[in-house]
């Protein structure tokens, strides 16, 4: 298994920006994980009826290598 843990900001529109790799078991997979992270789509957090930006959202992508 290879893992990449990253932190990002979820915008008011539910898109992702400012992806930052926090930890990685292999730097080879960091670019693929970052590229995938920017494609994530979230339902925005809503406070008092208004969508808000959420910084510091953490995620992990695990790569499983087959023989």
């Amino acid at each position: 298994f290879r893992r990449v843990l990253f932190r990002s900001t979820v915008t008011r529109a539910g898109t992702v920006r400012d992806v930052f790799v926090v930890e990685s078991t292999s730097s080879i997979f960091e670019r693929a994980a970052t590229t995938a992270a920017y494609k994530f789509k979230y339902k925005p957090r809503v406070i008092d009826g208004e969508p808000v930006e959420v910084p510091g959202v953490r995620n992990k992508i695990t790569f499983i290598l087959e023989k």
Side-chain angles (χ1 to χ4, degrees), residues 8-53:
S8 62
T9 298
V10 175
T11 68
R12 295 174 2 164
T15 59
V16 173
R17 68 176 175 84
D18 303 332
V19 175
F20 175 78
V21 173
V22 175
E23 184 181 312
S24 175
T25 57
S26 176
S27 62
I28 295 170
F29 296 95
E30 290 177 14
R31 179 181 279 184
T34 300
T35 299
Y38 278 111
K39 294 178 183 179
F40 287 9
K41 184 74 174 167
Y42 292 88
K43 183 175 179 181
R45 179 178 289 172
V46 176
I47 297 177
D48 295 328
E50 293 292 321
V52 295
E53 193 168 88

